């Protein structure tokens, strides 16, 4: 039976479609639209998982949430493909980025979004929050100066995890051509055929 | 050689000391104090890792950052102790909470902190952000109605990961006796001898 992906438009779940395309696994997409006023996920998603968030996948009766956990599940499901290359430092780097993407990089991006919604009221917080994000972008820029992909010479699931925070950084975090290694990496991921196929399956995506 | 833990006061890194105590591994603590005005980590931490965050551990020349990645490293280092029990649904739950603690629960707590610093200006954002956190607290309360620990009948590293977001929720997220299962779980973790030993090693901790 195919894996079911509960996919919210313009969201973290785009990565799961991409991951499935990279691995060539069979899947079915259930699409959800955001509330056009609040931009939040619709209540239907709460019927799938009480947190009401996307992505969530289902397979053989198991409901799996949380992007990092889903990505680990899919790597295992594909006998380790797109997992870390075998040597020790790569395993450590892989694990780091798998947790880092959502654990460290998304929080300042969420904070920027909230502060941005406050308009003028949020202005005093904008600079310090942008500063928090800049520390990440500066570090990531130096990391990619030495290698094409986040873990090493090969594309891995860590690159899939990192895509959404970096795409969101272009959209609202000030990431631009002044950080050429990061922009080069974004060009490389967007040029992958599986990325393009995932966009076709998922529908409109404002971040690519 | 002992594992070196770079420990920032009143921070996520308290979990790493606790984890090491639970596993009975040998470690050395390097303490860092927050800047008393900004409450941010001191610049010395940037010498350990460019992100300048805590926790970071060092062993055999490897520098490992990101709480979830450190916890996975320590479980592996201890031959799988405190990792998931062997059956499939537990493995999935374990992985979920390992990513969820920082990836889903901490972002609204960070947002609450930032919105709180804005004082009156941040007031319009306080209610929606608290609402985001309440969805998590409500769900977690039902999860612990069925079991003593997050993964199942046994204490695991997933409980260690969940401690900081739930302690922070008591401090600034409105978690109180109206959610008795979560408060019961907090009492259970705080009663563990290893938790108490980690407090002694780490110094003052405002969240326990």
């Amino acid at each position: 039976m195919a894996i079911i992906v509960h996919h919210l438009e313009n969201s973290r779940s785009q990565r799961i479609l991409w991951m499935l395309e990279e691995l060539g696994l069979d899947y079915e997409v259930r699409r959800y639209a955001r509330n056009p006023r609040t931009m939040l996920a619709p209540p239907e998603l709460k019927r799938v998982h009480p947190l009401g968030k996307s992505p969530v996948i289902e397979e053989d009766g198991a409901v799996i949430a949380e992007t990092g956990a889903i990505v680990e599940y899919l790597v295992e499901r594909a006998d380790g493909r797109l997992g870390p290359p075998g040597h020790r430092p790569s395993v450590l780097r892989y694990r780091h980025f798998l947790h880092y993407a959502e654990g460290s990089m998304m929080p300042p991006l969420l904070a920027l979004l909230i502060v941005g919604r406050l308009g003028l009221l949020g202005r005093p917080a904008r600079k310090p929050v942008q500063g928090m994000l800049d520390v990440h972008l500066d570090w990531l820029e130096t990391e990619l100066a030495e290698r094409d992909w986040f873990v090493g010479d090969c594309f891995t699931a860590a690159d899939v995890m990192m895509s959404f925070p970096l795409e969101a950084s272009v959209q609202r975090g000030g990431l631009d051509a002044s950080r050429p290694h990061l922009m080069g990496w974004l060009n490389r991921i967007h040029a992958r055929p599986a990325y393009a196929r995932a966009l076709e399956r998922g529908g409109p995506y404002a971040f690519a």
Side-chain angles (χ1 to χ4, degrees), chain A:
Chain A
M1 219 178 68
I3 295 168
I4 298 166
V5 185
H6 297 275
H7 171 59
L8 177 66
E9 60 176 351
N10 293 325
S11 84
R12 292 162 155 84
S13 59
Q14 186 64 40
R15 285 178 294 193
I16 301 306
L17 306 181
W18 177 25
M19 185 79 185
L20 286 158
E21 287 290 345
E22 291 280 356
L23 295 171
L25 296 172
D26 199 21
Y27 66 100
E28 181 189 311
V29 185
R30 306 240 169 113
R31 288 196 204 173
Y32 300 79
R34 289 180 185 273
N35 177 315
R37 192 179 58 78
T38 63
M39 298 308 285
L40 296 177
E44 295 88 277
L45 266 172
K46 292 219 181 204
R47 273 179 239 143
V48 184
H49 188 289
L51 287 173
K53 300 213 305 174
S54 167
V56 176
I57 68 167
E58 284 183 75
E59 186 169 35
D60 298 331
V63 176
I64 305 170
E66 198 68 31
T67 312
I70 296 172
V71 163
E72 285 193 42
Y73 175 83
L74 295 177
V75 165
E76 181 193 64
R77 182 75 171 57
D79 300 319
R81 268 188 298 140
L82 298 189
H87 70 304
R88 193 69 192 142
S90 294
V91 174
L92 294 178
R93 288 181 63 82
Y94 174 83
R95 254 192 222 149
H96 176 269
F97 283 111
L98 226 57
H99 284 276
Y100 168 87
E102 293 289 325
S104 282
M105 231 201 131
M106 283 308 296
L109 281 158
L110 174 72
L112 269 183
L113 189 71
I114 290 168
V115 161
R117 294 251 172 100
L118 285 170
L120 279 177
L121 299 177
R123 239 169 127 177
R126 205 179 150 84
K127 213 173 139 188
V129 177
Q130 181 68 52
M132 288 168 68
L133 181 64
D134 284 343
V135 169
H136 292 286
L137 294 174
D138 289 344
W139 175 64
L140 294 168
E141 177 70 9
T142 64
E143 283 288 295
L144 287 182
E146 295 162 31
R147 45 179 76 81
D148 269 5
W149 304 105
F150 276 105
V151 173
D153 298 334
C154 297
F155 174 80
T156 67
D159 295 290
V160 177
M161 281 301 291
M162 289 298 291
S163 62
F164 187 71
L166 284 167
E167 288 168 342
S169 295
V170 170
Q171 214 198 35
R172 61 174 186 258
L175 173 56
D176 61 20
S178 66
R179 293 189 177 95
H181 297 300
L182 288 174
M183 296 308 281
W185 176 87
L186 280 167
N187 289 336
R188 282 193 291 285
I189 64 166
H190 291 160
R192 293 179 74 88
Y195 190 99
R197 287 196 302 271
L199 281 186
E200 268 171 47
R201 291 287 300 271
Y205 182 60
F207 294 80

